Amino acid sequence: LTAIDIHPPLYYLLLKLWVLLLGVGPEVARFFSALIGTLLIPVVAVIGKRLDSWRTGSFAALILAVMPLAVYYGQEVRMYGLVTLLAALSTYFFIRWQDGRRFQLGYVLSASAALYTMYYAAFVVLAQFISGQISPRRSRRRLLIPFVVVGLLYLPWIMYAGFQLVAYISNKRDIEGYATLTLPNFLADHLVAFSVGHLPIGLSPVMWSVIPAVALATVGLVVAAARRSTRLLIFYLFVPLLAGYAVNLAVPFTPPFFERTLLLAAPAYWLLIALGLAWCWRKQSVLGGVTVVLVLVPAVISLLVFYVTPRYSDEDYRPLLRQVAARATPAETQLAR
């Protein structure tokens, strides 16, 4: 089915190999996503350590481990977790490469793999390109070559799926007719999702509990802006968000949980929170401890709700489907949505 789909194929190919090795089943398929989500934790921790300190990396690992959005898509049999991991890997290799070490091959492979997993990975590559172009002039040409290689490696897929993608987007825009979000609403929706996950209607008051996380991310933003080594985080977060907003203007796509499409930028937000926490901890350890609690408690509450609230409490059609299956004849076809 992937051969006739407009989505890039890498996740589906890897999942196919995974189930061939371990067998077919929901637990096996979900475990693939869980493994990917678990690998994301040390990758983000190492990025935090490289950009600032071991404390920032440790805070980033702690935050990521309990962030509801990371947990959700560490269980979903979808490509969102994989593209987030690959985008983070490409960011790590980009940092090492900017430091003057020869990590261009790692960058080319991870960035290309991210692009072959999801189209929006191009926004992270764009963020890295912009960050590279404002680096010292003597390194600009050296920084340009791997981006050209990534583009050439991605060109075959664009040639294959480009026209299909344009037709798919046009059809989707005409049929679904979602409303365009304003920039404040678009950003607010993503910051809430990145902080406490997808909130059910009954838990909407928890939305205000994201204020400490956003405040710490703002502190981290100020710290990052003041240091050349950490400015990449600003591009890593805001280039995908602003590019996603531009897509929203052209092709509005705002179904429930639409924030997942930009999950690949969430590690930058969590790293900025960690940077803010590290700054508070250096100023006053008690203040740092309090801010850790203020950030983690709402996330843990949201996770608890996720785990204890039945997903089918309102409309459970499974007994009806079992009854239909029991009465069906071999000549009949069943469709369940």
Side-chain angles (χ1 to χ4, degrees):
L1 290 177
T2 303
I4 60 173
D5 200 350
I6 53 90
H7 291 296
L10 182 60
Y11 171 78
Y12 304 101
L13 292 172
L14 294 177
L15 183 62
K16 178 67 173 179
L17 293 174
W18 180 264
V19 298
L20 284 175
L21 289 172
L22 299 181
V24 178
E27 293 82 4
V28 171
R30 286 175 179 267
F31 184 64
F32 181 58
S33 295
L35 178 62
I36 290 167
T38 304
L39 289 174
L40 180 63
I41 296 174
V43 172
V44 170
V46 170
I47 292 174
K49 181 177 181 295
R50 278 265 155 208
L51 291 178
D52 185 56
S53 65
W54 66 267
R55 181 177 285 121
T56 298
S58 300
F59 279 141
L62 175 63
I63 291 165
L64 173 56
V66 299
M67 278 296 144
L69 214 63
V71 175
Y72 297 166
Y73 296 103
Q75 301 180 37
E76 290 285 326
V77 188
R78 301 293 298 276
M79 82 292 287
Y80 303 113
L82 179 61
V83 73
T84 304
L85 172 63
L86 291 171
L89 273 174
S90 72
T91 301
Y92 168 75
F93 285 121
F94 179 76
I95 294 167
R96 298 300 301 272
W97 160 32
Q98 274 199 318
D99 289 342
R101 296 171 177 84
R102 297 186 177 277
F103 283 83
Q104 291 95 328
L105 180 60
Y107 175 76
V108 167
L109 293 177
S110 56
S112 300
L115 288 169
Y116 273 96
T117 302
M118 187 179 175
Y119 294 109
Y120 277 14
F123 300 154
V124 175
V125 176
L126 177 61
Q128 294 157 352
F129 176 78
I130 294 172
S131 177
Q133 291 308 298
I134 65 172
S135 63
R137 183 179 297 275
R138 65 180 180 275
S139 64
R140 286 181 184 175
R141 181 175 296 180
R142 177 175 60 85
L143 287 170
L144 183 62
I145 296 173
F147 290 108
V148 174
V149 176
V150 170
L152 291 174
L153 290 174
Y154 193 47
L155 185 60
W157 180 256
I158 294 299
M159 295 174 64
Y160 168 74
F163 290 111
Q164 299 178 57
L165 179 62
V166 171
Y168 173 83
I169 291 174
S170 299
N171 185 60
K172 197 175 189 68
R173 177 183 57 199
D174 295 339
I175 292 177
E176 296 185 350
Y178 289 108
T180 300
L181 294 179
T182 64
L183 182 59
N185 286 339
F186 186 87
L187 293 177
D189 285 345
H190 282 84
L191 293 181
V192 169
F194 290 173
S195 300
V196 291
H198 301 309
L199 294 176
I201 295 175
L203 206 63
S204 54
V206 177
M207 184 182 303
W208 297 106
S209 66
V210 307
I211 292 176
V214 174
L216 280 170
T218 303
V219 173
L221 191 67
V222 173
V223 173
R227 304 175 187 169
R228 188 168 64 86
S229 62
T230 52
R231 287 174 193 163
L232 172 62
L233 293 178
I234 301 174
F235 297 103
Y236 188 4
L237 176 62
F238 286 104
V239 170
L241 286 178
L242 294 176
Y245 174 70
V247 172
N248 158 76
L249 294 178
V251 189
F253 180 69
T254 54
F257 315 142
F258 76 98
E259 299 89 358
R260 65 180 181 266
T261 58
L262 289 174
L263 177 63
L264 48 79
Y269 176 69
W270 299 327
L271 281 161
L272 286 172
I273 294 175
L275 202 59
L277 282 172
W279 183 87
C280 291
W281 196 280
R282 283 192 290 265
K283 293 297 181 181
Q284 174 56 253
S285 59
V286 174
L287 175 63
V290 171
T291 52
V292 168
V293 172
L294 290 176
V295 170
L296 296 186
V297 166
V300 171
I301 292 173
S302 181
L303 268 183
L304 289 173
V305 172
F306 171 72
Y307 279 115
V308 303
T309 302
R311 245 67 53 84
Y312 301 99
S313 58
D314 294 330
E315 298 176 318
D316 188 351
Y317 293 107
R318 290 173 294 180
L320 177 61
L321 292 173
R322 285 193 291 268
Q323 183 179 0
V324 171
R327 295 176 179 273
T329 67
E332 292 176 327
T333 300
Q334 300 174 55
L335 292 176
R337 182 176 184 272

